[in-house]
């Protein structure tokens, strides 16, 4: 998976984000609000847990039989008149998309709903080659104008306040100065985008699900922009990771029932469209991309990350994501699922530690991706490679020896109790400065250890 | 029943009162309590950081302390240590003796609710308490249905036990089972986020107007206690063993 930003550890970036307490509180609340709406929507389905189980089984089954379903999908697409392309990585993906556009002499491309093209860095690739690329999802358009990557997979501009969007629109699309009313700003964006839709020579979208039995791709949006982008111009292109495949319409319907509910609390998105072939006189292309996916499929546990349907629920529930924001992750996809798919490529080796292992993500996930177990496993993989962050390489062996040695532990802790300060260096860390920056030191108990108490008061009686 | 205690290092050294309350309450309920020797730590600080090799010796030392001990259950007043012990034992030792030890492990609340079936208390507890539903106990040990799980009823062993005490007023903080931010070394590795999570949690507990924050995980309580004192909230932490012991 693609990485963004520099090589700053998550903790350091998060620390900077936390300097502005009001912003942290605002960010936290905005996303908790989504979690809350999700709770209400999930509660309204008595069979919610069964849907999750089914969703998980469908995805697992598909991943286990990926070759079969991909082949079926390709064959059915061809029957429907769809051109299917295969890309092993981001570079190939970009080349394929560009070659289609070049063939039709496309100058203006409208895009919608694709984290995959972000992952492949498609926009800069096409812009360099003289193509005007416009992201048309409102949030995506905002961050495109702001020259930023998305900070969330479903609400990509969630890090910006409406006042900031007003200021940006004023500068970039000429809306009124000082305006921050969401309705007004949305209307401005709509007028601005309408023009872009009319000018477009081709439309490109991501894919929420690709249905093997039908040779169709499904796209879910709330703004209808994917449909505008795809229906107007002659050429339509749909780019998808190979993990997006589902066997049939039954599977697609189960996943559709949880996707929007778990993302924003809506029963379903305003528009969920299945594209099953080109329009009259038009062309429809589907590009299937691996880009590192099959590498992770080789590990049984890590592979489960690809059951993900990108609802964003795990980001919204994650107490760390909410208080550190997407940009602190040094990965295109932030939050728990971002760690699950990107930790292996993280040069800071800190991503897997941006987690308190509370497990809320795993429980919230509509396809039961065992996110906390995957994150835990990444820590182990890093440790085995000797690539531990935060000085752990140095102090962990020491802690291991200390904890295993009763005499040393008893002595150390006895002095800690009386002084709470004479611990050997490595064990000082937990009770030293890092701890007291945010909380008081533990109150030293009045008695000795429990073991001493037990020996004195019980064993001889 | 004959109960062997698993007393994690943090309880042994920093919160002996929790261990003492556990002994006293189990004895009041008619159980025989023993403390197998040689326990230090479950290895969680190391395995949580991915350092399984560094955890091995410590974990096996704890496991060996329980091997061959004659008892019905091994009870621990700390949910996350209990889970870590279970998982780590299994990781390093698959022998029948190890499996027997793992099979006997019970967290205190779990033991009292599921095995002992604690129904009656003798003394009232006339205070409002705000429950700290710590992650490991909820999401890994199933002490209560996590807030993310919907549409299938639900249960809460912690509340079920406490609600049998006369006079007690049980409250929950807003976002009832959001993580408090301790997370072992997470509190140090991710100081800013952990600190903020702790602050928000302490505030949510204080907002209930409760006198005590009651929980079953001593490490979360240790962290929350530090935050509560730093922030000056008029609330105190109390381990569930101490509360139950007072009411018996
Ligand atoms: S891992 Fe699960 S909760 Fe997270 S985005 Fe994917 S489907 Fe949603």
């Amino acid at each position: 998976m693609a990485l963004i930003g520099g090589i700053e550890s998550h903790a350091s970036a998060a620390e900077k984000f936390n300097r502005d307490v009001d912003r942290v509180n605002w960010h936290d609340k905005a996303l908790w609000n989504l979690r809350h709406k999700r709770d209400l929507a999930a509660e309204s389905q008595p069979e919610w847990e069964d849907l999750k189980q089914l969703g998980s089984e469908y995805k697992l089954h598909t991943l286990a039989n990926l070759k079969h379903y991909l082949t079926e999908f390709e064959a059915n697409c061809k029957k429907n008149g769809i051109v299917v392309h295969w890309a092993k990585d981001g570079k190939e993906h970009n080349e394929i998309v560009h070659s289609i556009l070049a063939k039709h002499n496309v100058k203006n491309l409208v895009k919608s709903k694709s984290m995959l093209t972000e992952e492949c860095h498609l926009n800069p690739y096409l812009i360099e080659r003289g193509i005007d690329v416009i992201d048309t999802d409102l949030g995506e358009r905002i961050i495109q104008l702001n020259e930023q990557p998305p900070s969330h997979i479903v609400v990509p501009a969630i890090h910006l306040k409406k006042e900031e969007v007003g200021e940006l629109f004023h500068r970039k699309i000429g809306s009124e100065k000082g305006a921050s009313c969401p309705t007004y700003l949305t209307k401005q964006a709509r007028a601005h985008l309408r023009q872009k839709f009319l000018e477009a020579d081709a439309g490109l979208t991501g894919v929420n699900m690709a249905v093997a039995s039908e040779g169709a791709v499904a796209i879910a949006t709330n703004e209808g922009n994917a449909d505008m982008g795809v229906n107007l111009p002659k050429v339509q292109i749909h780019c998808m990771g190979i993990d997006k495949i589902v066997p049939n319409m039954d599977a697609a319907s189960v996943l559709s029932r949880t996707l929007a509910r778990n993302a924003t609390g809506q029963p379903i998105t305003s528009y969920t469209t299945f594209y099953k072939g080109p329009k009259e006189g038009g062309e429809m292309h589907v590009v299937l991309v691996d880009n590192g996916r099959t590498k992770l499929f080789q590990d049984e546990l890590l592979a489960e990350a690809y059951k993900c349907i990108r609802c964003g629920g795990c980001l919204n529930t994650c107490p760390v994501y909410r208080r550190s924001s997407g940009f602190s992750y040094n990965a295109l996809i932030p939050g728990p699922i971002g760690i699950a798919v990107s930790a292996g490529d993280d040069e800071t080796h800190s991503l897997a530690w941006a987690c308190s292992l509370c497990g809320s993500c795993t429980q919230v996930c509509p396809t039961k991706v065992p996110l906390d177990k995957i994150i835990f496993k990444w820590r182990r993989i890093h440790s085995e490679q000797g690539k531990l962050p935060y000085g752990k390489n140095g102090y962990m062996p020491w802690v291991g020896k200390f904890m295993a040695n009763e005499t040393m532990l008893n002595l150390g802790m006895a002095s800690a109790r009386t002084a709470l300060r004479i611990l050997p260096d490595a064990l000082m860390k937990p009770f030293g400065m890092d701890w007291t920056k945010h909380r008081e030191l533990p109150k030293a108990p009045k008695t000795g250890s429990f073991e001493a108490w037990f020996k004195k008061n019980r064993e001889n009686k | 029943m004959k109960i062997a205690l698993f007393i994690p290092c943090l309880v042994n050294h920093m919160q002996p009162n929790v261990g003492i309350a556990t002994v006293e309450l189990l004895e009041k309920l008619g159980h025989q309590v023993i403390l197998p020797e040689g326990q230090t730590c479950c290895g969680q600080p190391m395995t949580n950081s991915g350092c399984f090799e560094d955890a091995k010796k410590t974990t096996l030392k704890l496991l060996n302390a329980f091997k061959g001990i004659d008892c019905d259950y091994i009870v621990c007043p700390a949910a996350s240590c209990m889970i870590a012990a279970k998982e780590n034992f299994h990781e390093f030792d698959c022998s029948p003796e190890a499996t027997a030890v793992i099979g006997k492990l019970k967290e205190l609340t779990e033991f009292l609710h599921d095995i002992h079936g604690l129904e009656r208390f003798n003394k009232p507890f006339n205070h409002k308490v705000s429950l700290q539903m710590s992650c490991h106990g909820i999401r890994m040990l199933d002490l209560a249905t996590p807030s993310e799980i919907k549409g299938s009823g639900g249960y809460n062993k912690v509340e079920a036990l406490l609600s049998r005490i006369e006079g007690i007023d049980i409250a929950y903080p807003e976002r009832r089972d959001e993580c408090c931010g301790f997370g072992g070394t997470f509190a140090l590795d991710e100081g800013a986020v952990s600190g903020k999570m702790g602050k928000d949690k302490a505030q949510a507990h204080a907002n209930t107007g409760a006198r005590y924050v009651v929980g079953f995980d001593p490490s979360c309580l240790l962290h929350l206690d530090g935050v509560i004192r730093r922030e000056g909230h008029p609330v105190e932490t109390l381990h569930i063993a101490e509360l139950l012991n007072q009411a018996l």
Side-chain angles (χ1 to χ4, degrees), chain A residues 127-437:
Chain A
I127 291 166
E128 263 173 40
R129 285 155 185 80
I131 294 168
D132 190 22
V133 185
I134 302 293
D135 283 321
T136 63
D137 305 280
L138 180 55
E140 291 279 355
R141 185 65 187 137
I142 294 170
I143 56 168
Q144 192 181 29
L145 291 172
N146 214 26
E147 295 169 25
Q148 278 179 315
S151 74
H152 186 289
I153 60 177
V154 174
V155 277
I158 190 74
H159 58 288
L160 294 172
K161 298 187 181 182
K162 57 184 191 299
E163 292 76 18
E164 292 164 334
V165 175
E167 175 55 32
L168 176 72
F169 277 13
H170 170 66
R171 276 191 287 119
K172 298 281 170 111
I173 63 172
S175 65
E176 262 173 54
K177 186 160 178 60
S180 65
C181 163
T183 317
Y184 168 77
L185 292 175
T186 310
K187 278 190 180 145
Q188 291 291 307
R190 187 183 237 170
H192 157 80
L193 283 170
R194 183 62 51 119
Q195 200 50 41
K196 301 288 179 193
F197 281 123
L198 291 171
E199 288 164 6
D201 318 304
L204 184 149
T205 80
V207 170
N208 286 92
M209 287 173 285
V211 190
S213 64
E214 306 296 314
V217 294
I219 296 128
T221 71
N222 278 317
E223 297 157 28
N225 54 324
D227 303 296
M228 295 255 267
V230 165
N231 283 317
L232 287 173
K234 193 173 135 219
V235 181
Q236 71 189 80
I237 306 171
H238 306 277
C239 302
M240 56 177 275
I242 47 174
D243 51 306
K244 286 297 156 80
I245 198 102
V246 299
N248 51 35
M249 290 303 276
D250 285 348
S253 63
V254 166
L255 297 172
S256 302
R257 287 189 64 192
T258 53
L259 176 65
R261 283 192 174 89
N262 218 55
T264 54
Q266 295 166 280
I268 191 160
T269 46
S270 307
Y271 304 91
T272 301
T273 314
F274 291 78
Y275 289 99
K276 219 182 153 173
K279 57 187 85 71
E280 235 181 80
E283 263 181 35
M284 177 170 167
H285 297 262
V286 172
V287 188
L288 292 128
V289 186
D290 181 343
N291 205 28
R293 283 164 176 73
T294 43
K295 199 174 103 202
L296 289 191
F297 289 162
Q298 284 156 23
D299 182 290
E300 213 179 316
L301 180 63
L302 301 182
E304 285 205 55
Y306 288 98
K307 293 194 296 183
C308 174
I309 55 171
R310 299 287 190 264
C311 72
C314 58
L315 278 64
N316 303 338
T317 204
C318 176
V320 179
Y321 172 82
R322 275 188 273 107
R323 290 173 183 82
S324 60
S325 132
F327 296 144
S328 62
Y329 284 81
N330 193 34
L332 174 66
I333 300 180
I337 183 62
I339 302 176
V341 296
S342 327
D345 299 331
D346 166 35
E347 291 163 56
T348 72
H349 307 294
S350 71
L351 262 188
W353 279 266
C355 169
S356 67
L357 295 178
C358 77
S360 181
C361 49
T362 298
Q363 303 289 340
V364 103
C365 177
T367 52
K368 297 193 164 190
V369 175
L371 290 156
D372 62 323
K373 290 207 170 62
I374 294 176
I375 294 170
F376 193 69
K377 174 137 192 187
W378 275 123
R379 293 186 184 181
R380 188 171 186 169
I381 293 171
H382 275 88
S383 166
E384 281 164 7
Q385 295 171 347
K387 288 172 180 160
L388 291 168
Y390 311 124
K392 286 178 192 293
N393 268 333
Y395 78 80
M396 272 306 166
W398 212 92
V399 176
K401 284 194 192 90
F402 188 81
M403 292 296 204
N405 186 320
E406 239 176 307
T407 321
M408 249 159 70
L409 181 68
N410 285 343
L411 270 174
M413 293 309 266
S415 23
R417 273 197 304 278
T418 42
L420 265 171
R421 67 186 166 79
I422 345 177
L423 277 172
D425 257 12
L427 271 219
M428 253 310 271
K429 199 168 148 59
F431 299 109
M433 283 314 291
D434 287 346
W435 179 270
T436 50
K437 221 187 244 173

Side-chain angles (χ1 to χ4, degrees), chain B:
Chain B
M1 281 178 261
K2 189 169 177 187
I3 312 253
L5 287 179
F6 161 26
I7 297 294
C9 49
L10 200 67
V11 172
N12 186 22
H13 294 288
M14 300 310 289
Q15 296 158 304
N17 44 316
V18 170
I20 296 169
T22 305
V23 174
E24 289 180 352
L25 89 90
L26 287 172
E27 287 178 347
K28 284 181 197 169
L29 295 174
H31 302 293
Q32 185 197 349
V33 181
I34 57 166
L35 181 68
E37 291 213 0
Q39 307 180 32
T40 56
C41 162
C42 58
Q44 181 169 215
M46 292 74 98
T47 49
N48 250 15
S49 282
C51 305
F52 280 73
E53 263 321 294
D54 298 322
K56 196 169 178 178
K57 203 171 156 204
T58 309
T59 302
L60 290 177
K61 181 170 166 56
L62 180 66
L63 174 59
N64 288 332
F66 294 119
K67 274 191 187 167
I69 294 280
D70 165 41
C71 64
D72 298 296
Y73 289 99
I74 302 168
V75 171
C76 174
S80 74
C81 306
M82 223 281 304
I83 299 273
K86 233 183 209 182
E87 287 177 355
N88 292 350
F89 288 171
H90 182 76
E91 172 72 34
F92 295 122
D93 190 345
C94 293
S95 67
E97 298 96 307
T99 310
V101 169
I102 293 169
K104 286 182 181 177
L105 279 169
K106 290 279 169 205
E107 187 274 338
L108 178 65
T109 320
E110 192 186 22
F111 172 80
L112 295 174
H113 183 276
D114 297 358
I115 312 290
H116 180 93
L118 178 53
E119 297 288 343
R120 295 171 56 84
F121 291 86
N122 308 321
K123 297 181 210 150
F125 189 84
N126 294 313
H127 295 290
K128 185 168 185 176
V129 299
S130 181
L131 297 191
Q132 168 56 33
M133 304 301 274
S134 295
C135 308
H136 279 73
I138 305 303
R139 302 199 180 87
M140 282 135 227
L141 195 53
D142 297 327
L143 289 181
T145 306
S147 61
E148 297 87 14
I149 301 295
K150 304 290 175 188
S152 56
Y155 54 87
N156 185 336
K157 297 178 189 177
V158 188
E159 186 181 312
L161 269 184
L162 292 175
S163 64
R164 291 167 196 162
I165 300 172
E166 202 191 306
I168 197 166
D169 180 4
I170 297 173
Y172 289 92
E174 222 185 295
R175 305 179 177 185
R176 71 160 56 191
D177 53 17
E178 189 188 24
C179 177
C180 71
F182 177 55
T185 56
F186 175 79
L188 311 159
D189 301 336
E190 286 272 353
V193 177
S194 166
K196 180 70 177 128
M197 286 164 73
K199 252 185 220 165
D200 291 351
K201 194 80 199 182
Q203 184 68 57
H205 278 302
N207 289 348
T208 64
R211 166 93 196 271
Y212 297 106
V213 174
V214 172
F216 45 78
D217 207 317
S219 34
C220 305
L221 293 178
L222 184 99
H223 155 73
L224 277 174
D225 173 60
V227 180
I228 286 169
R229 285 188 287 120
R230 169 66 56 93
E231 300 290 307
H233 293 304
V235 61
E236 274 174 61
T237 55
L238 183 66
H239 190 276
I240 193 167
E242 296 179 276
L243 199 170
L244 297 176
N245 188 37
Q246 277 182 42
L248 276 169

